[in-house]
Amino acid sequence: MVDFNQRDLSVVQARAGGFVQRVYGRAPGDVIAAGAPLADLLIPEWGGAQAEYLAVRATGDPRLAQAARQRLLLLGMPEALVAAVERTGRQRTTVTVTSPSGGVIRTLGVRAGMTVAQGQTLAEVNGLSTVWLNAAVPEVQASRLRVGQGVEVVFTGFPDERFSGRLSALLPEVSGDSRTLVGRVELANRGGRLRPGMFGQVVFGGGTEETLLVPSEAVIRTGTRTLVMLAEADGRYRAAEVRVGRETGGRTQVLQGLAEGERVVASGQFLIDSEASLAGVAARPLAESAPGPAERVAARRSPAAARRAARPAAPAEPPPVPDHTGHGGAH
């Protein structure tokens, strides 16, 4: 889901205590430009310091005048206000508070007639030049992502367009319910078309790799080891221990334990495994075989058919592991 870029947040505070003389009809949610006025503040304590500066300046002593001017800046007066006092020779105790950046007003805490203290937050303005998209990434695929990699996003509101961005952060916390991490994608927001709350589909870019895949249903997890059932040439079956990796689209990556040309049983393997355990047949250890860069997907069959034979899967040029496609989720 699209969210504000929290790094592009400006906080407007009162530089000195005073009173709100005027507000400019702003409200939270308004989009304003940089320099837009927010409120006029009357700050009485600035009047005495300005009068002192004008008196010292009239003496013609540049060192004393510079020290008095520096005092005005330390009291929080903007450079433009000090220059206006020098130009007019008159005290100016009313200052217009403006927004330092353009964007949307997130909070606004000034009302006409209210008293403000030094350092009090008057408004928060969030820029819209860039936005964040918080994407829900399954924890099993998070290891494939790298901060800084390219990302493409398709939004529901703009189905015919692809927006390019980059993965700026992969947050460390895993959601207990969905078992996902939050991938923070930063997107340029030209024209302000991307609005917080919009949903989009994310495609993380990256290279492809050759790997060995088997149907996920062919993998037997006993709790202490992971097995597949091999169909041997003489019609017998043998358990083989494997080390698996990622799982996607009903297929599981085999990192170690299978080699190209071996046939695996994709259905009825639990019955076969039970009989093999009763017969005392040990599983082939990992050290006896290593995977080759090919994909073998055994045909599905009933347990009875699986007991007769396992149809061999011809070695084929492996397809690339698909890039993760996630949906932005609210976090």
Side-chain angles (χ1 to χ4, degrees):
M1 183 173 71
V2 176
D3 194 7
F4 289 103
N5 185 345
Q6 300 297 331
R7 295 191 180 97
D8 193 10
L9 179 66
S10 299
V11 178
V12 183
Q13 294 181 320
R15 297 192 175 189
F19 311 94
V20 179
Q21 282 195 320
R22 178 188 176 187
V23 292
Y24 288 83
R26 310 294 185 189
D30 288 351
V31 178
I32 59 176
L38 299 174
D40 290 345
L41 300 183
L42 173 64
I43 306 177
E45 67 175 290
W46 282 1
Q50 292 174 2
E52 180 182 339
Y53 170 59
L54 292 174
V56 171
R57 191 164 180 261
T59 63
D61 188 331
R63 295 179 59 188
L64 291 178
Q66 181 60 30
R69 189 180 194 279
Q70 184 65 24
R71 179 169 176 257
L72 299 184
L73 298 176
L74 294 176
L75 287 173
M77 297 183 201
E79 180 69 36
L81 180 62
V82 176
V85 171
E86 292 173 341
R87 185 173 63 254
T88 62
R90 298 170 58 185
Q91 302 174 31
R92 298 174 65 95
T93 56
T94 300
V95 59
T96 299
V97 179
T98 61
S99 174
S101 62
V104 60
I105 299 177
R106 298 291 303 276
T107 62
L108 185 64
V110 290
R111 297 294 183 268
M114 69 179 291
T115 302
V116 297
Q118 183 178 11
Q120 180 176 336
T121 297
L122 306 179
E124 292 182 353
V125 180
N126 216 131
L128 293 173
S129 59
T130 59
V131 293
W132 286 347
L133 178 70
N134 295 323
V137 181
E139 62 175 332
V140 296
Q141 299 190 12
S143 61
R144 299 179 57 193
L145 305 182
R146 296 291 180 268
V147 173
Q149 75 179 78
V151 176
E152 288 191 343
V153 185
V154 177
F155 290 97
T156 305
F158 308 102
D160 298 328
E161 294 185 56
R162 284 183 174 265
F163 294 79
S164 298
R166 68 178 186 89
L167 182 65
S168 61
L170 192 62
L171 304 190
E173 186 176 0
V174 178
S175 172
D177 296 332
S178 61
R179 309 307 303 169
T180 58
L181 288 80
V182 175
R184 180 178 293 162
V185 179
E186 187 169 323
L187 299 168
N189 189 17
R190 298 178 183 86
R193 296 193 299 163
L194 302 181
R195 302 175 183 274
M198 296 177 66
F199 282 88
Q201 187 179 52
V202 182
V203 179
F204 293 96
T208 59
E209 60 178 299
E210 291 186 348
T211 189
L212 184 70
L213 300 176
V214 298
S216 296
E217 63 181 5
V219 179
I220 306 171
R221 293 178 172 86
T222 67
T224 58
R225 57 183 180 174
T226 303
L227 307 173
V228 296
M229 298 304 300
L230 299 178
E232 299 183 337
D234 56 359
R236 297 177 178 272
Y237 297 92
R238 182 184 183 187
E241 186 175 356
V242 295
R243 184 165 62 91
V244 298
R246 296 185 294 269
E247 181 178 352
T248 181
R251 296 177 179 180
T252 299
Q253 180 186 26
V254 178
L255 302 176
Q256 187 179 358
L258 285 180
E260 183 175 348
E262 292 184 306
R263 299 177 298 170
V264 297
V265 179
S267 182
Q269 68 271 40
F270 287 101
L271 178 60
I272 298 173
D273 182 57
S274 298
E275 294 181 354
S277 299
L278 292 174
V281 178
R284 187 181 70 184
L286 288 173
E288 290 188 13
S289 180
E295 175 192 10
R296 292 167 303 279
V297 180
R300 299 183 180 180
R301 56 182 58 79
S302 65
R307 293 168 58 86
R308 291 194 299 270
R311 188 174 64 186
E317 187 66 19
V321 175
D323 291 329
H324 164 65
T325 300
H327 293 272
H331 294 270

